[in-house]
Amino acid sequence: MTDCHSGPPAAGAAPSAATASQQQEGLVVLAGNPNVGKSAIFSGLSGTYAEVSNFPGTTVEAVTGRWNDRVLIDAPGTYGLGEHSEEERITTELIQRAATVVNVVDAAHLDRDLFLTLQLAESGVPMVVALNLVDEARRAGAEPNASELERALGVPVVPTVAVTGEGLEQLAEAIGRARAGNRSLNGSDDLARRRAADELYARIVPPTDRRRRVADWLSRASVTLHWGAPMIVLSLAAMYLLVGVGVAQHLVGFSEARLGHEIWEPFARNVAGAIGIGGPLREILVGEFGLLTMTVTYIVFLLAPLVAAFYFALALFEDSGFLPRIAALVDRLLSAVGLNGRAVIPIILGFGCVTMGTITTRLLATKREKTIATALLNFAIPCSAQLAVIAALLAGFGGGWVFGYAAIIFAMLIAAGTVLDRMLPGKSTPLLIELPPLRWPRPAAVLRKTVTKGYWFMREATPWFAAGALIVAVLQVTGGLEIWQRLLRPLMVNWLQLPAETARAIVMGLVRRDFGAAGLYEMGLTPAEALVALVVITLFVPCVASIMVMAKEHGARTAIRIWAGTWIVAFAVGGVLARILAWLGAAS
Amino acid sequence: MGIDRVPVGSSARIEAIDDATARRELTRLGFEEGADVEVVSRIPFGPIVLQRRHRQVAIGRELARRVRVTTP
């Protein structure tokens, strides 16, 4: 309450006299636990217009929209108010600024949600409760008594099913009747508030002994090693078939080669020719790395379908409640490299697109964990575009080479993680994660997530891809690319014992990881040479977009360190591997 | 004793959580000091999964040692 540094100017409106001076006229804030359908309520109220913004000095995002000429903000999901994490601080601050708070709760899991509800009802801010997912509670035979809750809190309570739109009209009407809750202050006594929440829960939710046999069994089995591990393997295999084979190979194969290279790019060149663009400008706009050719093909015909497919798969994992269970099962593995189970999320995403994974490291608790995860992603995790090329190239030589490649990269992942874990000061945080019940994902919710997350990602990443392509195009026009290639040649030939042309692949790899791998495709390498080259290319620098995102998220210094580190590691490992393979070859 | 030593399938009452951050988080999630919980799973060398009503949390093994419980 003492500072108002981040309060935006209240657009020409005087703050209402009755409340704190930092309050923002008409501001409606949606607050609730994570994954209760807040964002579905948000889009239901605000329609399509939404703007994502970062809070000053943080990586926490909130979505701002408009509802009936009032500003509507979707606050970050939290289990309570306070000062303990960035999300909590920001939500608390937003609540202090709000004219009205809409507390979205999960009607099927009200016992957890009531903690925050009570905190809000104690805070004195006018509020309404949206009893969301009420259809699910109904099906379980445990629909909360809304009018009893209304009496207990002294605020309007409206049952809703946000994804179908049920109850949204009533909710909109109830916002006009918002009132301050009548709960007495528990202050900072969490335990007293928790007990009050449990007591309230017992009063408003009928006890039910109806058991959902399959769901209950699954909830328990999925967190045991003997059932959970096969489930993970199966679901990841299904995800690979969908994203890796279906989209990355077939769909992108069609969209990139046909729509991109054969239809769009010639069209762009013809247009450029017709309006008389020539010389270096032509090269920069529509040349090999052109802004209108390569960048457009890459972003529209390759990245967009891939990112959409990944977010779709991730939304299925998330909305089914399976993702946190995977986090629990792999916690032990990840703690070996200084991370905890939560880091599985950026890592899975990283296999789709390292840039996407890097952005998602935000959800890790400490800077130390964010740094480790970012470094691992950018060192040793090949993105799907690269994986596809690598798999195609190595599969031709037989399964042994594929296995050898995977083993080397996996060993590097462990080694890099272990070194970072030792090097970085501090300790990693232990895992503490809620495991939501397993349920069928709702198609509408999955679709909305896919579209909004995909859109945000593309919006964030596109300028960086364009900037990277621009740099390379300029290098090519000015002859800088040639010089690079010549400088690298001794390293490639003498140290890695590869043909001289592979230097070109490495230079291409500076821009985009799979370019490097693709460049090797037509060189007629021996299996041993291909293995060395691919290991080097995988460990080698992340693509330009990833570096830009790293610099934005973790500062330029970390980004440069990781970038430089990949040079050393990639060439050191490649050189040693070349010698081991030569020795093995001579021995046999 | 720590909840890491409670056999899978049996219940225990949380007496004390010797970690301020975890105590706050668990209280918010409904696994507060005084609550009766069931141990649903012990992932080998990994986290312990606790259940209360229909809700579950997973806590890392190290942390589980600091969640002290009594068994009936």
Side-chain angles (χ1 to χ4, degrees):
Chain A
M1 297 295 250
T2 50
D3 59 271
C4 52
H5 55 280
S6 54
S16 103
T19 46
S21 59
Q22 62 188 96
Q23 198 197 311
Q24 188 179 337
E25 181 78 24
L27 176 66
V28 180
V29 172
L30 296 183
N33 290 188
N35 295 320
V36 293
K38 256 174 348 92
S39 45
I41 298 249
F42 177 88
S43 29
L45 288 176
S46 71
T48 48
Y49 175 76
E51 194 179 304
V52 189
S53 51
N54 274 46
F55 286 90
T58 72
T59 50
V60 178
E61 288 180 331
V63 190
T64 307
R66 293 207 146 258
W67 170 73
N68 285 357
D69 290 328
R70 296 173 73 171
V71 178
L72 181 69
I73 298 185
D74 186 3
T78 55
Y79 297 112
L81 301 178
E83 295 282 315
H84 302 295
S85 67
E86 268 182 359
E87 283 83 1
E88 267 188 31
R89 271 193 294 277
I90 283 158
T91 302
T92 306
E93 198 186 294
L94 283 173
I95 304 273
Q96 286 165 1
R97 264 165 50 196
T100 311
V101 171
V102 178
N103 176 213
V104 185
V105 298
D106 177 349
H109 305 95
L110 206 53
D111 49 343
R112 175 199 63 192
D113 295 42
L114 281 177
F115 184 93
L116 175 65
T117 303
L118 287 186
Q119 237 176 349
L120 288 170
E122 291 163 21
S123 73
V125 65
M127 66 184 280
V128 298
V129 174
L131 203 53
N132 198 30
L133 295 163
V134 74
D135 55 339
E136 205 170 292
R138 238 173 250 153
R139 271 200 303 277
E143 184 180 351
N145 185 332
S147 47
E148 181 66 32
L149 183 59
E150 211 160 66
R151 262 194 300 282
L153 298 172
V155 308
V157 175
V158 184
T160 58
V161 183
V163 284
T164 64
E166 184 188 326
L168 286 185
E169 257 172 61
Q170 290 88 328
L171 180 65
E173 178 268 325
I175 293 175
R177 296 186 282 120
R179 269 186 298 159
N182 60 7
R183 303 296 294 195
S184 59
L185 197 64
N186 278 308
S188 58
D189 190 350
D190 279 0
L191 199 54
R193 186 177 298 117
R194 167 41 67 195
R195 295 208 166 121
D198 283 354
E199 194 187 293
L200 181 58
Y201 174 81
R203 241 168 60 207
I204 58 171
V205 178
T208 166
D209 31 61
R210 179 165 156 191
R211 301 213 132 236
R212 297 159 66 212
R213 286 226 181 88
V214 179
D216 282 348
W217 181 82
L218 271 175
S219 292
R220 286 159 181 268
S222 60
V223 283
T224 61
L225 197 61
H226 51 284
W227 288 109
M231 283 183 201
I232 291 185
V233 172
L234 277 179
S235 53
L236 288 182
M239 179 169 165
Y240 174 75
L241 282 180
L242 171 76
V243 182
V245 178
V247 175
Q249 289 170 27
H250 296 295
L251 181 64
V252 167
F254 169 76
S255 62
E256 192 190 17
R258 282 286 146 75
L259 304 179
H261 295 319
E262 287 176 20
I263 297 177
W264 167 255
E265 289 182 15
F267 170 75
R269 280 191 198 100
N270 288 342
V271 172
I275 56 176
I277 294 173
L281 187 60
R282 180 189 156 82
E283 198 56 44
I284 287 171
L285 285 181
V286 294
E288 196 179 352
F289 304 104
L291 273 182
L292 296 176
T293 45
M294 182 190 83
T295 308
V296 171
T297 301
Y298 184 44
I299 288 172
V300 178
F301 298 115
L302 184 136
L303 200 60
L306 214 53
V307 165
F310 248 92
Y311 277 125
F312 175 75
L314 192 74
L316 286 181
F317 275 111
E318 240 172 41
D319 285 18
S320 61
F322 195 46
L323 199 56
R325 290 159 197 279
I326 299 181
L329 285 165
V330 301
D331 179 58
R332 179 65 191 89
L333 292 178
L334 288 170
S335 70
V337 294
L339 296 170
N340 74 40
R342 268 177 210 275
V344 79
I345 300 164
I347 289 176
I348 289 182
L349 278 174
F351 279 103
C353 168
V354 169
T355 311
M356 198 154 81
T358 306
I359 291 178
T360 322
T361 57
R362 277 176 197 171
L363 59 81
L364 302 180
T366 61
K367 186 159 168 39
R368 178 185 147 91
E369 283 157 84
K370 287 175 195 169
T371 308
I372 294 180
T374 302
L376 291 186
L377 281 167
N378 289 283
F379 263 115
I381 298 204
C383 64
S384 59
Q386 199 183 18
L387 263 181
V389 182
I390 291 169
L393 209 135
L394 279 181
F397 300 132
W401 294 98
V402 178
F403 179 79
Y405 168 82
I408 293 167
I409 297 302
F410 188 70
M412 288 312 300
L413 201 65
I414 305 274
T418 311
V419 169
L420 282 168
D421 185 30
R422 296 268 162 84
M423 253 171 46
L424 293 173
K427 252 183 77 183
S428 291
T429 48
L431 181 74
L432 198 175
I433 194 169
E434 194 199 9
L435 306 179
L438 290 170
R439 53 183 169 204
W440 283 110
R442 292 167 186 256
V446 169
L447 216 61
R448 194 172 41 76
K449 239 181 203 173
T450 307
V451 171
T452 48
K453 284 195 174 172
Y455 170 73
W456 291 344
F457 172 77
M458 295 307 293
R459 215 178 69 164
E460 195 149 357
T462 301
W464 300 118
F465 284 111
L470 187 65
I471 292 169
V472 177
V474 169
L475 273 179
Q476 198 201 22
V477 170
T478 56
L481 216 52
E482 267 302 306
I483 297 171
W484 264 104
Q485 240 158 276
R486 221 168 300 142
L487 283 175
L488 277 173
R489 207 156 285 168
L491 203 55
M492 303 303 292
V493 176
N494 301 334
W495 173 241
L496 297 180
Q497 304 172 350
L498 292 173
E501 312 91 80
T502 47
R504 184 175 159 77
I506 291 283
V507 173
M508 302 287 283
L510 286 170
V511 192
R512 247 187 67 191
R513 297 180 125 194
D514 59 312
F515 273 7
L520 296 170
Y521 207 72
E522 279 136 28
M523 285 184 190
L525 300 174
T526 68
E529 285 171 344
L531 182 62
V532 172
L534 288 176
V535 165
V536 171
I537 291 235
T538 306
L539 299 177
F540 194 50
V541 296
C543 69
V544 174
S546 292
I547 296 164
M548 298 295 191
V549 167
M550 261 197 290
K552 187 181 161 215
E553 299 277 314
H554 305 288
R557 258 175 59 170
T558 308
I560 290 170
R561 273 191 197 152
I562 290 177
W563 191 80
T566 58
W567 278 84
I568 300 167
V569 174
F571 281 97
V573 171
V576 171
L577 181 65
R579 273 152 191 79
I580 293 174
L581 286 171
W583 179 75
L584 283 177
S588 62
Chain B
M1 70 178 169
I3 202 160
D4 59 306
R5 288 165 58 198
V6 175
V8 170
S10 45
S11 292
R13 169 164 296 170
I14 300 177
E15 296 294 343
I17 302 166
D18 298 335
D19 178 299
T21 311
R23 188 187 311 122
R24 188 175 51 240
E25 286 289 304
L26 287 171
T27 302
R28 289 171 176 205
L29 291 170
F31 293 78
E32 73 275 14
E33 290 169 346
D36 292 317
V37 300
E38 184 196 344
V39 174
V40 169
S41 171
R42 260 199 307 189
I43 297 160
F45 309 104
I48 310 285
V49 180
L50 310 179
Q51 178 157 344
R52 188 182 183 204
R53 296 193 192 100
H54 284 283
R55 304 196 313 94
Q56 300 176 330
V57 289
I59 55 180
R61 185 61 66 100
E62 273 297 315
L63 185 57
R65 291 197 185 110
R66 283 175 277 156
V67 176
R68 289 192 284 111
V69 297
T70 50
T71 44

